[in-house]
C-alpha cells in the first residue's frame, strides 16, 4: 500500500470539517489537524500565524486546507511555497475581496457559480467552481438505529429546518431617515416579488450606500481589499439578509394557514406564533436530530437565502442525502445535478408551492419514489468523497 499523502487542515469549528476529514481519510490522505483556534478562542493573530508556519515547516504537507478562505493562511502559504486549498461553504464571503485571493498558492473552490464568475478573473489559475455535497454514510448511520418513538416524534406533513434570519438582519437596529429607510424597504419589497433574479446590487443608489455606512458604525469594510466593497456589503449583509428573513417568515405564515408545518429553528418565532398550522419546535442537533426530521417529514422545504444566487445550499444536499423528499425554490444550478420532478421538486412562487404541497401530500407513492431517486443520485455522485476526488484532480491533473 502506498504511503498516504500528508496535508494540514486548519480547523475553526465549521460543522463541515468532520465530513471533510472523513473524506480525506477515505481517499488515503493523512490529515494533520491545526485545531489551535478551536482550543484557544482568544489566541492572538501573531501566535496563530507563527504556529501554523511552524506546522508547515515541520510536516511539509502537500497542501494546507480550510473550510472557507482565510487571507492570512494564503499569505503564509505564499511565503512558504505551499499550496493552499479552501472550500467555500458560505455565500457571501467577504474575505474573498482580499488582495490575498490573487496569490499563486491559492486553489479556491466556490459553490455558487455566480460567485465563482465574480472572483475567477482575479485569479484564473486559482479559483474554481465546485458544488457542495452530503455525507450520506453519516446520515445512514444516524438513521440506522431509530426507535419507533423517534419515528413518531419526527413524523409530520411539512417541515422547515433553519434560521429565520430575523436575529441576523441588522436593518432593524440601525437608525435611518425616513427617505432612506423607505428606499431600502422599497428595494426589499421589489426583490421579494422577483424570484430567481437579484436586483439588490443594481437598485441601490450611491446615496443609499452612504446612508447605511453613516448609520451603522459596524458597517464592514474588509482590510486590504482589491476593490470597493460598500455596495456589496449593503446588498448582501443588509438588504439580502432582510429579504431572506421576510421571505421565510411570510412563506411559512401563508403555508401555516392551510397546512401543518413543523418549524425547527432557534430564531425568534414571534411573528409565527398565532398561525394555526405552525408548530415551533426549537432547534435540532445537526448530526442526530436533523436527519430524523429530513427522513420522516413527508415534505422538506428549502427556501434558499438570497445571497446564494445560483448555487445549491447545504440543506438541499442534506435532505436528499438523508432520503427525504425535497421541495425547494428553483435555483438555476439544480438541473446540472438533478432532474426536477424525478429526484426532487421545485416551486416557482407561493401559489405553485401550495399546489405542490397539496399534490405530494395526496400522492405518497410519487413522493416516496422521488425521495429514493434523490438519495441514490446523491449517494452515487455527490458525496464529500466525490468532491475531494474532484479537488485532487484539479490539484494534480497528471
Amino acid at each position: 500500500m502506498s504511503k498516504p499523502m500528508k496535508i494540514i487542515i486548519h480547523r475553526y469549528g465549521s460543522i463541515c470539517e468532520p465530513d471533510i476529514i472523513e473524506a480525506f481519510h477515505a481517499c488515503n490522505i493523512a490529515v494533520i489537524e491545526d485545531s489551535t483556534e478551536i482550543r484557544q478562542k482568544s489566541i492572538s493573530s501573531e501566535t496563530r500565524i507563527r504556529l501554523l508556519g511552524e506546522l508547515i515547516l515541520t510536516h511539509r504537507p502537500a497542501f494546507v486546507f480550510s473550510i472557507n478562505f482565510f487571507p492570512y493562511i494564503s499569505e503564509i502559504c505564499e511565503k512558504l511555497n505551499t499550496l493552499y486549498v479552501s472550500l467555500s461553504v458560505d455565500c457571501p464571503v467577504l474575505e474573498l475581496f482580499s488582495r490575498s485571493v490573487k496569490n499563486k498558492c491559492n486553489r479556491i473552490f466556490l459553490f455558487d457559480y455566480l460567485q465563482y464568475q465574480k472572483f475567477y478573473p482575479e485569479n484564473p489559475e486559482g479559483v474554481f467552481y465546485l458544488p457542495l455535497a452530503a455525507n450520506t454514510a453519516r446520515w445512514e448511520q444516524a438513521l440506522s438505529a431509530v426507535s419507533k418513538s423517534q419515528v413518531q416524534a419526527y413524523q409530520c406533513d411539512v417541515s422547515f429546518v433553519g434560521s429565520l434570519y430575523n436575529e441576523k438582519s441588522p436593518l432593524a437596529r440601525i437608525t435611518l431617515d425616513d427617505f432612506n429607510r423607505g428606499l431600502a424597504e422599497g428595494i426589499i419589497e421589489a426583490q421579494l416579488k422577483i424570484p430567481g433574479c437579484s436586483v439588490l446590487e443594481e437598485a441601490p443608489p450611491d446615496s443609499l450606500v452612504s446612508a447605511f455606512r453613516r448609520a451603522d458604525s459596524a458597517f464592514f469594510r474588509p482590510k486590504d481589499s482589491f476593490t470597493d466593497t460598500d455596495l456589496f456589503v449593503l446588498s448582501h449583509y443588509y438588504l439580502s439578509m432582510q429579504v431572506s428573513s421576510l421571505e421565510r417568515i411570510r412563506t411559512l405564515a401563508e403555508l401555516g394557514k392551510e397546512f401543518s408545518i413543523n418549524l425547527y429553528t432557534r430564531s425568534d418565532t414571534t411573528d409565527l406564533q398565532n398561525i394555526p398550522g405552525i408548530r415551533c419546535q426549537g432547534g435540532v442537533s445537526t448530526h442526530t436530530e436533523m436527519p430524523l426530521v429530513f427522513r420522516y417529514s413527508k415534505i422538506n422545504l428549502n427556501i434558499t437565502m438570497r445571497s446564494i444566487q445560483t448555487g445549491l445550499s447545504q440543506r438541499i444536499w442534506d435532505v436528499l442525502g438523508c432520503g427525504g423528499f425535497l421541495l425547494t425554490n428553483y435555483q438555476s444550478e439544480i438541473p446540472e445535478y438533478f432532474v426536477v420532478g424525478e429526484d426532487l421538486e421545485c416551486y416557482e412562487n407561493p401559489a405553485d408551492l401550495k399546489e405542490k404541497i397539496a399534490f405530494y401530500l395526496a400522492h405518497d407513492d410519487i413522493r416516496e419514489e422521488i425521495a429514493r431517486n434523490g438519495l441514490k443520485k446523491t449517494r452515487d455522485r455527490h458525496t464529500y468523497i466525490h468532491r475531494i476526488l474532484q479537488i485532487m484532480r484539479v490539484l494534480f491533473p497528471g
Side-chain angles (χ1 to χ4, degrees):
M1 186 175 180
S2 61
K3 186 177 180 180
M5 178 184 293
K6 182 170 56 178
I7 69 168
I8 292 172
I9 289 187
H10 169 74
R11 298 195 62 181
Y12 63 95
S14 167
I15 196 71
C16 299
E17 288 166 359
D19 294 324
I20 289 292
I21 291 170
E22 279 186 26
F24 276 123
H25 287 157
C27 295
N28 194 34
I29 297 171
V31 176
I32 300 161
E33 296 185 33
D34 168 30
S35 302
T36 307
E37 193 168 327
I38 297 176
R39 297 191 307 269
Q40 303 177 38
K41 295 296 185 182
S42 59
I43 188 173
S44 68
S45 57
E46 293 81 3
T47 302
R48 187 189 300 120
I49 290 168
R50 176 178 58 80
L51 291 175
L52 179 57
E54 290 174 355
L55 202 61
I56 294 171
L57 291 172
T58 299
H59 295 281
R60 296 294 181 180
F63 56 87
V64 175
F65 178 92
S66 71
I67 296 292
N68 291 331
F69 179 74
F70 291 82
Y72 85 90
I73 298 179
S74 179
E75 290 300 317
I76 295 170
C77 289
E78 187 77 354
K79 291 176 181 176
L80 297 181
N81 196 30
T82 302
L83 277 178
Y84 173 40
V85 181
S86 62
L87 176 64
S88 173
V89 299
D90 293 323
C91 186
V93 180
L94 273 176
E95 287 78 7
L96 292 171
F97 285 101
S98 167
R99 294 182 188 277
S100 300
V101 82
K102 301 173 183 283
N103 286 341
K104 292 181 180 179
C105 67
N106 293 330
R107 301 295 183 270
I108 302 168
F109 294 86
L110 306 176
F111 77 90
D112 183 279
Y113 195 78
L114 214 59
Q115 184 186 46
Y116 159 76
Q117 288 182 310
K118 187 180 189 71
F119 292 102
Y120 170 80
E122 306 304 327
N123 190 345
E125 302 298 319
V127 176
F128 304 89
Y129 166 72
L130 189 72
L132 298 176
N135 185 345
T136 54
R138 178 188 296 283
W139 302 140
E140 184 177 345
Q141 183 177 9
L143 292 160
S144 63
V146 179
S147 68
K148 185 177 181 180
S149 62
Q150 286 177 306
V151 173
Q152 292 174 340
Y154 291 100
Q155 282 179 328
C156 68
D157 284 348
V158 183
S159 72
F160 178 76
V161 179
S163 173
L164 299 179
Y165 292 117
N166 43 17
E167 77 282 7
K168 298 178 182 179
S169 175
L171 188 59
R173 66 170 171 77
I174 64 174
T175 302
L176 290 167
D177 61 83
D178 290 345
F179 175 80
N180 282 299
R181 182 166 291 278
L183 179 57
E185 291 175 352
I187 294 171
I188 288 166
E189 290 298 329
Q191 180 62 86
L192 284 164
K193 292 177 172 61
I194 311 174
C197 177
S198 177
V199 299
L200 297 180
E201 285 193 63
E202 288 74 29
D206 292 343
S207 59
L208 186 62
V209 178
S210 299
F212 269 81
R213 196 171 56 238
R214 290 192 306 270
D216 190 2
S217 60
F219 192 98
F220 188 69
R221 307 182 95 175
K223 295 179 181 179
D224 194 34
S225 174
F226 61 79
T227 188
D228 188 325
T229 61
D230 286 356
L231 176 58
F232 185 89
V233 170
L234 171 63
S235 169
H236 291 281
Y237 286 87
Y238 291 87
L239 304 183
S240 179
M241 198 68 72
Q242 184 70 2
V243 169
S244 297
S245 178
L246 291 175
E247 184 169 39
R248 290 186 175 187
I249 291 171
R250 291 178 184 180
T251 299
L252 292 168
E254 280 301 306
L255 294 179
K257 296 173 184 177
E258 298 183 29
F259 305 100
S260 175
I261 313 286
N262 276 17
L263 171 60
Y264 297 92
T265 185
R266 292 184 175 88
S267 299
D268 180 2
T269 58
T270 301
D271 292 334
L272 297 170
Q273 292 288 349
N274 296 322
I275 307 298
I278 301 289
R279 292 183 291 189
C280 300
Q281 308 281 36
V284 287
S285 168
T286 300
H287 288 156
T288 58
E289 296 175 299
M290 188 182 77
L292 301 179
V293 176
F294 289 163
R295 173 62 68 86
Y296 297 112
S297 299
K298 292 182 180 179
I299 296 174
N300 293 279
L301 291 181
N302 176 61
I303 307 169
T304 305
M305 66 181 298
R306 285 301 184 103
S307 58
I308 302 176
Q309 296 184 61
T310 62
L312 278 63
S313 67
Q314 188 63 55
R315 187 184 297 100
I316 289 177
W317 300 103
D318 286 339
V319 170
L320 298 176
C322 289
F325 174 83
L326 176 69
L327 179 52
T328 176
N329 64 288
Y330 183 80
Q331 293 283 99
S332 61
E333 291 180 43
I334 286 176
E336 298 292 322
Y337 308 103
F338 299 104
V339 178
V340 177
E342 185 175 303
D343 303 314
L344 49 72
E345 186 57 274
C346 296
Y347 68 88
E348 296 182 0
N349 53 53
D352 185 42
L353 175 58
K354 289 181 181 180
E355 288 180 11
K356 285 177 175 170
I357 289 175
F359 175 82
Y360 284 108
L361 288 178
H363 294 83
D364 292 350
D365 53 342
I366 299 175
R367 187 187 70 244
E368 290 166 5
E369 182 180 0
I370 290 173
R372 287 192 295 270
N373 292 341
L375 172 59
K376 184 178 188 306
K377 189 165 288 185
T378 303
R379 185 197 295 130
D380 291 348
R381 304 182 189 180
H382 303 299
T383 69
Y384 281 102
I385 294 174
H386 290 99
R387 299 297 181 252
I388 294 302
L389 292 173
Q390 289 173 281
I391 288 173
M392 296 305 288
R393 284 194 289 270
V394 170
L395 301 183
F396 309 106

